[in-house]
Amino acid sequence: MTIPISWYLLLSAFLFACGVMGFLIKRNIITIFMSIELMLNGVNLSFIAFATRFGTLDGHIFVFFVMVVAAAEAAVGLAIIISVYRTRETLNVDRVNLLKL
Amino acid sequence: MHIFLFLLFGLLCAGGAINLLIQRKPINSALSLIVVMGSLALIYLLLGAEFVAVVQVIIYAGAIMVLFIFVIMLLNAGEEEHTKGSKVAKIIGIPGLITGFIIGVSVLLQHGPQEKRIHIGELYGSASDVGMMLFTKYLLAFELTSVLVLIAIMGAVVLARRSHSS
Amino acid sequence: MSVLTFLIVAVIKIAITLGVLLTVVAYTVWLERKVVGHMQNRWGPSRVGPFGLLQPLADGIKFLLKEDLTPPYVEKHIYLIAPVIALVMALTSIALIPIGPVVHLFGISTPIQITGVVGATGQPGDIDAGLLIVLGITSLGVYGIALAGWSSNSKYSLLGSLRASAQMISYEVSLGLSLVGVLLMSSTLSLRGIVDAQLGTWFGFIPQWFLFRGQFIAFFIYLMAAFAETNRVPFDLPEAETELVAGYHTEYSAMKFAMFFMAEYANMVTVACIASVMFLGGWSGPPMPFLPAAVQAFLPLIWFLLRVFFFLFLYIWIRGTLPRFRYDQLMAFGWKFLFPLALANVIVTAFFVAIRA
Amino acid sequence: MKLFFWQPWLIPLLPLVGALINGLFGKRFSKSVVASIALFFTGASLLFASVHAYTLLHSGADALETSYGTWIRAGSFAADFGIYLDHLSLVMMLVVTGVGFVIHVYSVAYMEHEGGYYRFFSFLNFFMFFMLTLVLANNYLLLFVGWEGVGLASYLLIGFFFQKDSAANAGKKAFITNRIGDFGFLIALFLLIQHFGTLRFATVFNIASSLPAETTAGLLTAIGLLMLVGACGKSAQIPLYVWLPDAMEGPTPVSALIHAATMVTAGVYMVCRSNAIFSRAPLALLAVAIIGALTSFFAASIGIVQTDIKRVLAYSTVSQLGYMFMAAGVAAYSASIFHLMTHAFFKALLFLGAGSVIHGIGGEQDMRSMGGLRKYMPWTFWTMLIATLAISGIPPFAGFFSKDEILWQAFSSPHGSKIFWAIGIITAFMTSFYMFRLIFLTFTGEYRGAQQDAHSAHADHGHVPHESPWLVLAPLVLLAVLSIIGGWVGGNRFEHFLAPVIQKVQTESPRLQVAESAAIPTSEHGEKTGESKALETSLMSISVLVAFSGLGLAWFFYVKRPELPGKIAAASGGLYKLVLNKYWIDEVYSAVIIGPLVALSRAFLWQIVDQKVVDGSINETATAVRGVSHVVRQQQSGLIRSYAGWIAAGAAVIVAYMVWMGTR
């Protein structure tokens, strides 16, 4: 028994939507950041699914790049979060609305 | 077998994602995300992407999420407080998201790729294949990414450093 | 080979491996106490059984029978799941290690490796990205420690786990890079393939181990990084008892503590196994045709265990010898010495591989 | 002579360089450095002008035109940066640079004790630049640039003592009055562009002279009349002369240079330059003559009763400019330019002398407070006397020749009339009278300033009249020499000299037939017939007689019987008052034009257009922007989740749109 690719794509869409939802409803800046990672993962899944669908490896390469970017983003983003926390003493994005440190 | 594995890991994945949203403590959300990432790695394996699956575990679960948890621990991020915050997110964002999701899913169900069936164990995308492609077709992008990572490292160091003046 | 036999064989292999591994872990503890005791001019365990050989058993029973305390202010779920994660990850990684060649028992041929299968050609098969999977699983092991420290809600635990997380992330980079040289020379990620690449000798007696083929610097880096990964002396900062009581497992007791304990020693064993496979030729050894066939069948196993034992002894030896690092020294050593060295090793190795090819 | 710096464009540009140097860096220079720079560049300009004049005269060419590339190109219309050097611009150029240089020298000492020394010289050089641009331009547009530029310089210099309200107001008055004239001039230029397609002198005049008179008379008349409006503004003719007397608020060298010798003659120059147009538009020419005659008469009559020494000279200038216009109006362009030149000499001299007087007695300008200055400042007296003789038309001084030429032409020219001649003679009489009145009041009798000074605050400073320093006197002497010999070239020779410039009208266009003109046999150039020679001589003797009688009357009134003028004034009552108050012209303007304009501006432009429409629209715009901003500002809340909400909604819209596009 095999399953069609669109199932994977549905899962991917669901993960992405969950990520967006997390961005919309979560207050903790770290959780929001994690929602972004969730979105990236959803996109990665669609890449892999399409790579399998078309029998090429390009999708895999894209996933690599996404991962690298995600890693870079995590490094910088978490550094920003740390410095924000140092000055604002909060992780609630609703309280960090001055758009500066 | 395939559908069983897919359903198992897919549901694990979806459950993790939902749990990420439900949990009030960042650490629980992070753990849910780790679950999502782990099951995603297995789903990649189902799709035959062997190398990507392993890298997913090493980089995402092993490095990025550890970093998240490290920061959560460092900042001692406790339970999320409930602030009023933005009405826009509730009034416009969530309906918009749901609408978009429904449209996307309906399109996928109607027009999504149905024909290609994949079989379990058909592994391709081994390290050497991916490496060949990475260092030929995508060499420029690869080098640029390395520059990006370098800049990100420097940025992170600069940002996280305590200023000496204060 | 039918699915049923496959499953039966797999279960048997898992059971044997688990048993052997746990025994080894238990007796490593005994060995450590004994060796360190002798190094420190005392006897070590000597009361329970001859030479204190039953001491691990007694310890195990004690752990089982102790009251299982759960402090009231902990994050309960995470607190409970943390030692499980640690132990599971430590035990899982051993599944990918090839311990010996194919054995033929009861008409069934199977490699001495849980994840190994015999392919259609009769050649033993292995997961292509075996080494990466091992690395991935060990990298997940950090969660056990980090979560344990976090959930304990205690400053000692938190500090210990923070140290452990930072240390493990840092040294994982050097550890991975030190293996790249070997991967370049063997041009495979399969552990069995790597062992196969080291078969053969020069002049009939010098084995063609990667250790002797220019990877001694990588071996040194790997050893350092592995000590740090397993939180062993001289890198046992996460559980530096003079500063942090017991580090991340301060709040754990009884069987939960035992799980961390076992995880640590299992990790030691895994790391030793990988070192053997990567640098010391795995189970290869000099042929001993004068021995009976039944013994010969187990010779690779013995060779392998000898190597693992060597590494374990090395751990203990260093523990009895070296003092603990300071934390900033540890970080500086990892990032400013080991990491560049590993990078240099990769570059030089890649250079030579490119010239040879 | 192909050297770069021999190009004629250096003539106007040199003063500009001086102006820029002084204007930008002069504040840090000492006064001597500032003066040296200004003098150097003006002198260099004079030198180049002389060299080029020499070159032109010896080349035998009628005109040298040099173009330095296109300035403006719009469709088929193009205007060049070009220099047009012919005999007319040559005369003007030499007058401007020569008199200008002399006045610069004069200013060095005269402005010594005034503030803003560098500013003054910078403006003065600036004026020289624009005046030379005006004179040397090869097209009307460049001429207009110079035209406006001298207006600007004039405004700046009239208001040089800008802390004085009257000076600032006089500057504004001059500027605004000139705008009215410029308005007419601009329309004339538009008409030229529309009908001739170019503004280049040579082309315009060629077209104008080649077209049949019948078809273009109306157009040329319109252009001529509009140009006349411009010329009236610039040259202070009726009805736009009112600014010039007020312009005397500026420093005296400025009055001499700009408001007597050069700038105000720009209108005359322009009319003469455009003689090809005017000659084909008899109606316009007649208008020029009438305006000139009226102006000369009115201004002279006002001049008789003025007591301010500079105002007398100002009205005299207006009057003499009227003379020039009258000459131009009877198509005696060369006579007009001749008078322009001589007038430049003696009027500059008069102003400079007046400046010397004012300087000598400590700033007093009222002639009633002067008197007997002859013994204190003999040099000034003698030079001014020469100028007065010259302006009064007493032979053999310069003014005699030019004035006589004008009177003769007014009488004899086919465009002339005896009426013009009669007005000219009466004006000449009045001129002679008020000029000698000035001389007698100022230099003869007893000094009347002392007793007034006695009870003024700064009596102790001892404003004993004294002679001016040699740097002031040298220009006076130089100009006095010119005032004597300036006319000796003679009207005929001057006419020959300018002949290439003045286009002859061959057509027998229906001209204003003056009955007498037919009776006088004239040839427009060449030898005058014996009969006309006799007529000319008799007319000449009449004018000399008139001049002397004016002298005599002035002597009688102000030396012999000094009490008489007051009695006559009392007796004539209303007339005297009318003349004294300059025919109430300023008041009439104020009531007829300015008053309604101010009222209209206040009621409509200010309170409705500005406050309601302009301000209102601006305020409403601001309010609207603020309102919109208030809404938009809400979006930049800094709340990341709001941003995410918008992004999510936007993404949904895009997805929906793309799906819709795909399924359509």
Side-chain angles (χ1 to χ4, degrees):
Chain A
M1 178 83 188
T2 60
I3 53 169
I5 290 291
S6 55
W7 288 30
Y8 289 99
L9 294 178
L10 282 178
L11 180 59
S12 154
F14 181 77
L15 289 181
F16 188 85
C18 280
V20 177
M21 186 63 101
F23 211 124
L24 289 176
I25 64 171
K26 301 305 272 187
R27 268 79 164 179
N28 190 304
I29 192 164
I30 299 177
T31 319
I32 285 178
F33 207 18
M34 286 193 280
S35 305
I36 296 176
E37 299 294 333
L38 189 58
M39 281 190 259
L40 289 175
N41 270 294
V43 173
N44 279 358
L45 178 56
S46 71
F47 272 131
I48 298 290
F50 276 114
T52 306
R53 158 74 178 74
F54 294 110
T56 59
L57 280 183
D58 300 62
H60 296 204
I61 306 288
F62 289 141
V63 171
F64 272 115
F65 288 142
V66 169
M67 282 180 186
V68 172
V69 170
E73 176 206 324
V76 177
L78 289 172
I80 290 173
I81 288 173
I82 288 174
S83 49
V84 164
Y85 185 76
R86 267 185 205 150
T87 47
R88 298 252 161 252
E89 305 247 315
T90 182
L91 288 172
N92 189 336
V93 283
D94 289 347
R95 297 195 192 283
V96 188
N97 60 357
L98 283 184
L99 300 182
K100 65 175 187 179
L101 274 181
Chain B
M1 184 72 178
H2 190 166
I3 193 162
F4 169 72
L5 287 175
F6 173 79
L7 285 178
L8 175 65
F9 297 128
L11 287 177
L12 207 56
C13 214
I18 291 169
N19 195 40
L20 187 151
L21 300 182
I22 294 171
Q23 288 295 336
R24 299 276 303 275
K25 290 182 185 167
I27 192 104
N28 290 339
S29 297
L31 290 177
S32 316
L33 191 54
I34 293 166
V35 169
V36 171
M37 283 165 173
S39 26
L40 264 183
L42 294 165
I43 288 174
Y44 291 165
L45 270 181
L46 282 184
L47 281 165
E50 172 195 40
F51 189 53
V52 172
V54 180
V55 171
Q56 164 93 1
V57 172
I58 293 178
I59 293 185
Y60 262 129
I64 296 179
M65 285 319 293
V66 173
L67 212 57
F68 271 98
I69 288 192
F70 189 82
V71 170
I72 291 171
M73 286 160 66
L74 191 69
L75 301 184
N76 210 355
E79 206 164 295
E80 190 175 34
E81 58 176 343
H82 265 289
T83 41
K84 282 278 283 179
S86 164
K87 276 178 286 184
V88 176
K90 267 184 204 137
I91 296 168
I92 298 177
I94 294 175
L97 170 67
I98 292 168
T99 318
F101 180 67
I102 289 170
I103 293 172
V105 166
S106 58
V107 169
L108 264 183
L109 288 178
Q110 283 173 21
H111 307 283
Q114 307 278 348
E115 69 280 21
K116 174 92 175 189
R117 306 273 162 162
I118 46 169
H119 300 279
I120 195 163
E122 279 180 3
L123 293 181
Y124 58 94
S126 72
S128 61
D129 294 342
V130 172
M132 284 306 283
M133 202 158 206
L134 204 56
F135 285 100
T136 52
K137 191 174 173 186
Y138 293 99
L139 182 61
L140 179 66
F142 180 78
E143 297 295 342
L144 287 177
T145 319
S146 69
V147 174
L148 174 78
V149 171
L150 182 65
I151 294 170
I153 290 170
M154 292 191 292
V157 169
V158 169
L159 277 171
R161 190 183 55 183
R162 279 178 204 278
S163 60
H164 293 292
S165 55
S166 59
Chain C
M1 188 159 63
S2 67
V3 175
L4 188 64
T5 41
F6 173 82
L7 283 177
I8 291 170
V9 169
V11 167
I12 291 171
K13 282 201 285 191
I14 289 169
I16 292 173
T17 314
L18 202 61
V20 170
L21 184 66
L22 289 177
T23 312
V24 167
V25 164
Y27 276 91
T28 310
V29 180
W30 173 82
L31 185 69
E32 180 163 19
R33 292 174 74 178
K34 206 73 185 165
V35 170
V36 171
H38 280 282
M39 280 178 178
Q40 293 167 349
N41 214 0
R42 54 183 172 84
W43 283 109
S46 55
R47 300 296 174 93
V48 188
F51 308 110
L53 273 173
L54 295 180
Q55 184 70 38
L57 199 65
D59 285 345
I61 291 167
K62 191 180 85 178
F63 279 136
L64 280 171
L65 296 183
K66 275 249 183 181
E67 185 188 0
D68 200 354
L69 279 173
T70 301
Y73 39 78
V74 296
E75 301 274 339
K76 200 150 187 193
H77 302 289
I78 300 172
Y79 176 82
L80 289 178
I81 209 168
V84 177
I85 293 174
L87 185 59
V88 165
M89 291 306 163
L91 294 180
T92 312
S93 53
I94 206 86
L96 292 127
I97 309 287
I99 295 165
V102 182
V103 291
H104 310 278
L105 277 174
F106 313 116
I108 297 166
S109 301
T110 184
I112 314 181
Q113 178 188 15
I114 292 177
T115 57
V117 287
V118 172
T121 57
Q123 291 300 310
D126 187 12
I127 294 176
D128 288 341
L131 178 64
L132 286 179
I133 293 176
V134 174
L135 287 179
I137 292 170
T138 48
S139 73
L140 290 180
V142 70
Y143 287 116
I145 294 169
L147 294 175
W150 161 261
S151 61
S152 292
N153 221 343
S154 149
K155 59 179 172 246
Y156 300 124
S157 304
L158 186 66
L159 282 174
S161 68
L162 273 176
R163 283 183 177 189
S165 316
Q167 177 181 333
M168 288 175 83
I169 296 176
S170 303
Y171 277 81
E172 208 170 74
V173 179
S174 305
L175 184 111
L177 280 175
S178 71
L179 298 177
V180 171
V182 170
L183 297 180
L184 284 170
M185 295 177 80
S186 63
S187 68
T188 176
L189 282 170
S190 156
L191 288 167
R192 193 166 285 276
I194 292 168
V195 171
D196 289 342
Q198 299 179 76
L199 295 176
T201 53
W202 288 302
F203 316 119
F205 67 97
I206 304 177
Q208 291 185 339
W209 297 347
F210 283 126
L211 175 63
F212 299 139
R213 280 157 71 176
Q215 290 301 315
F216 44 88
I217 293 177
F219 179 68
F220 167 73
I221 297 167
Y222 178 84
L223 220 52
M224 296 292 119
F227 276 38
E229 281 288 290
T230 50
N231 301 327
R232 292 289 302 185
V233 176
F235 302 119
D236 62 341
L237 277 299
E239 44 199 281
E241 62 273 10
T242 44
E243 306 167 31
L244 300 175
V245 187
Y248 55 87
H249 52 64
T250 304
E251 304 294 337
Y252 286 87
S253 59
M255 203 54 213
K256 295 200 285 291
F257 168 72
M259 286 163 97
F260 278 119
F261 202 69
M262 283 193 286
E264 182 177 334
Y265 281 85
N267 269 331
M268 280 164 61
V269 171
T270 312
V271 165
C273 289
I274 292 173
S276 309
V277 168
M278 299 299 288
F279 296 101
L280 300 179
W283 58 85
S284 64
M288 301 220 174
F290 47 87
L291 288 175
V295 180
Q296 282 217 14
F298 286 98
L299 260 183
L301 218 57
I302 291 166
W303 291 132
F304 193 86
L305 285 176
L306 267 177
R307 289 179 172 97
V308 172
F309 175 76
F310 162 73
F311 277 108
L312 291 177
F313 183 77
L314 197 64
Y315 274 120
I316 297 162
W317 186 9
I318 288 177
R319 176 176 177 181
T321 312
L322 291 179
R324 186 180 292 141
F325 271 49
R326 219 172 54 224
Y327 193 69
D328 59 323
Q329 286 173 332
L330 170 113
M331 278 300 179
F333 180 73
W335 283 110
K336 293 182 184 169
F337 178 70
L338 278 190
F339 179 60
L341 195 65
L343 270 182
N345 178 60
V346 169
I347 291 167
V348 170
T349 308
F351 182 69
F352 279 108
V353 168
I355 285 180
R356 293 262 297 276
Chain D
M1 295 297 251
K2 279 287 164 194
L3 281 170
F4 163 78
F5 48 82
W6 284 119
Q7 300 287 333
W9 56 262
L10 266 179
I11 300 169
L13 222 59
L14 278 168
L16 178 66
V17 174
L20 287 179
I21 292 175
N22 270 339
L24 294 178
F25 313 111
K27 203 167 188 173
R28 283 172 231 155
F29 297 158
S30 68
K31 287 190 173 177
S32 52
V33 174
V34 169
S36 311
I37 288 167
L39 280 183
F40 171 76
F41 284 104
T42 323
S45 184
L46 171 63
L47 188 71
F48 277 115
S50 317
V51 168
H52 281 286
Y54 181 84
T55 316
L56 177 69
L57 292 178
H58 277 256
S59 68
D62 281 349
L64 289 177
E65 188 174 356
T66 340
S67 182
Y68 300 106
T70 307
W71 169 29
I72 291 174
R73 180 179 296 283
S76 61
F77 173 74
D80 285 357
F81 284 116
I83 299 281
Y84 188 73
L85 199 58
D86 65 355
H87 292 180
L88 177 59
S89 47
L90 188 145
V91 170
M92 291 299 292
M93 175 177 86
L94 287 177
V95 167
V96 170
T97 53
V99 175
F101 179 70
V102 168
I103 289 171
H104 269 77
V105 173
Y106 177 89
S107 311
V108 170
Y110 188 85
M111 296 300 290
E112 186 84 55
H113 306 294
E114 306 289 353
Y117 198 66
Y118 74 96
R119 196 158 55 87
F120 179 79
F121 277 104
S122 174
F123 288 166
L124 218 53
N125 275 6
F126 193 60
F127 166 77
M128 293 285 284
F129 162 67
F130 278 120
M131 191 68 207
L132 288 166
T133 308
L134 192 163
V135 165
L136 291 172
N138 80 331
N139 58 59
Y140 277 109
L141 201 58
L142 202 55
L143 181 146
F144 192 68
V145 170
W147 187 270
E148 293 297 306
V150 292
L152 170 66
S154 157
Y155 165 75
L156 290 172
L157 284 164
I158 293 170
F160 183 73
F161 302 118
F162 55 84
Q163 279 146 331
K164 240 171 36 177
D165 261 1
S166 58
N169 287 337
K172 273 188 276 184
K173 189 174 180 183
F175 205 69
I176 290 166
T177 314
N178 268 308
R179 290 284 75 68
I180 298 167
D182 295 340
F183 176 68
F185 190 24
L186 262 181
I187 293 175
L189 297 191
F190 295 156
L191 282 174
L192 279 177
I193 294 174
Q194 192 188 358
H195 291 279
F196 293 174
T198 180
L199 288 176
R200 188 168 161 265
F201 290 145
T203 325
V204 168
F205 300 151
N206 273 337
I207 295 172
S209 56
S210 63
L211 285 174
E214 289 75 13
T215 57
T216 56
L219 172 67
L220 291 177
T221 304
I223 292 172
L225 285 173
L226 286 165
M227 280 183 170
L228 175 63
V229 173
C232 282
K234 188 88 355 191
S235 290
Q237 297 299 298
I238 284 176
L240 299 177
Y241 72 91
V242 289
W243 64 270
L244 187 58
D246 286 7
M248 296 304 129
E249 291 289 346
T252 308
V254 171
S255 308
L257 178 61
I258 299 181
H259 305 121
T262 54
M263 185 193 85
V264 289
T265 62
V268 181
Y269 167 76
M270 198 261 285
V271 170
C272 294
R273 170 62 76 200
S274 317
N275 63 73
I277 293 170
F278 278 99
S279 295
R280 280 164 187 76
L283 202 61
L285 211 52
L286 183 66
V288 172
I290 289 171
I291 281 178
L294 282 178
T295 308
S296 68
F297 179 80
F298 272 106
S301 66
I302 296 169
I304 289 174
V305 295
Q306 290 298 311
T307 53
D308 185 317
I309 187 168
K310 281 181 77 178
R311 281 190 180 260
V312 173
L313 293 177
Y315 282 107
S316 157
T317 306
V318 176
S319 166
Q320 297 301 308
L321 288 167
Y323 249 80
M324 295 172 211
F325 268 78
M326 194 168 78
V330 298
Y333 305 109
S334 62
S336 177
I337 294 295
F338 188 33
H339 193 61
L340 188 159
M341 184 181 82
T342 56
H343 174 255
F345 297 149
F346 56 67
K347 187 50 63 62
L349 174 52
L350 281 169
F351 267 112
L352 296 187
S356 175
V357 168
I358 294 164
H359 202 250
I361 61 173
E364 184 53 63
Q365 297 197 2
D366 196 330
M367 290 191 294
R368 288 169 300 191
S369 306
M370 299 175 185
L373 293 176
R374 178 180 161 187
K375 53 183 179 290
Y376 296 107
M377 32 182 72
W379 283 96
T380 309
F381 167 67
W382 284 111
T383 48
M384 273 194 86
L385 184 62
I386 290 167
T388 307
L389 290 170
I391 196 175
S392 305
I394 290 169
F397 299 97
F400 162 74
F401 297 97
S402 54
K403 196 175 264 184
D404 180 61
E405 179 73 14
I406 288 173
L407 287 172
W408 164 246
Q409 292 284 359
F411 187 86
S412 67
S413 159
H415 296 275
S417 142
K418 278 183 180 153
I419 300 164
F420 293 149
W421 178 82
I423 293 174
I425 283 293
I426 294 167
T427 307
F429 171 73
M430 289 196 286
T431 306
S432 174
F433 174 74
Y434 67 69
M435 280 317 297
F436 280 102
R437 169 177 174 262
L438 185 152
I439 288 288
F440 293 138
L441 278 176
T442 308
F443 290 103
T444 63
E446 288 303 310
Y447 181 49
R448 295 182 290 274
Q451 65 267 34
Q452 290 196 351
D453 260 7
H455 49 78
S456 81
H458 41 84
D460 50 347
H461 285 296
H463 283 297
V464 177
H466 58 86
E467 185 59 288
S468 301
W470 67 270
L471 210 55
V472 170
L473 295 178
L476 295 185
V477 174
L478 188 65
L479 284 171
V481 172
L482 284 172
S483 301
I484 296 168
I485 62 170
W488 294 355
V489 289
N492 283 339
R493 256 174 294 172
F494 203 79
E495 194 177 340
H496 278 301
F497 180 68
L498 283 185
V501 180
I502 313 299
Q503 291 205 6
K504 292 293 159 273
V505 186
Q506 270 84 24
T507 55
E508 288 297 316
S509 56
R511 68 178 56 138
L512 199 74
Q513 291 297 337
V514 182
E516 289 83 357
S517 68
I520 301 158
T522 57
S523 60
E524 284 178 323
H525 60 95
E527 291 304 307
K528 292 187 170 83
T529 59
E531 194 185 344
S532 74
K533 190 117 186 165
L535 184 62
E536 194 180 349
T537 316
S538 58
L539 289 175
M540 194 187 290
S541 32
I542 291 173
S543 68
V544 171
L545 199 67
V546 159
F548 273 110
S549 56
L551 194 169
L553 191 65
W555 178 82
F556 181 72
F557 273 7
Y558 294 101
V559 179
K560 184 87 176 157
R561 305 271 305 272
E563 76 285 353
L564 208 56
K567 282 183 186 165
I568 293 172
S572 59
L575 185 65
Y576 176 74
K577 224 167 200 155
L578 180 69
V579 178
L580 184 68
N581 287 301
K582 304 162 256 177
Y583 299 95
W584 308 101
I585 290 291
D586 277 345
E587 285 72 12
V588 167
Y589 281 1
S590 168
V592 174
I593 298 173
I594 299 171
L597 204 61
V598 167
L600 182 73
S601 304
R602 187 185 303 275
F604 179 69
L605 292 177
W606 175 33
Q607 284 172 348
I608 292 179
V609 175
D610 195 48
Q611 286 199 326
K612 297 258 167 63
V613 179
V614 179
D615 287 3
S617 61
I618 288 171
N619 289 340
E620 283 310 308
T621 310
T623 313
V625 168
R626 194 163 50 198
V628 173
S629 309
H630 191 74
V631 175
V632 173
R633 194 183 55 180
Q634 304 297 319
Q635 307 314 310
Q636 197 177 9
S637 54
L639 294 171
I640 303 169
R641 298 196 295 126
S642 315
Y643 299 167
W646 286 109
I647 293 172
V653 170
I654 290 172
V655 165
Y657 175 73
M658 288 178 74
V659 167
W660 180 67
M661 287 297 284
T663 53
R664 209 156 57 109

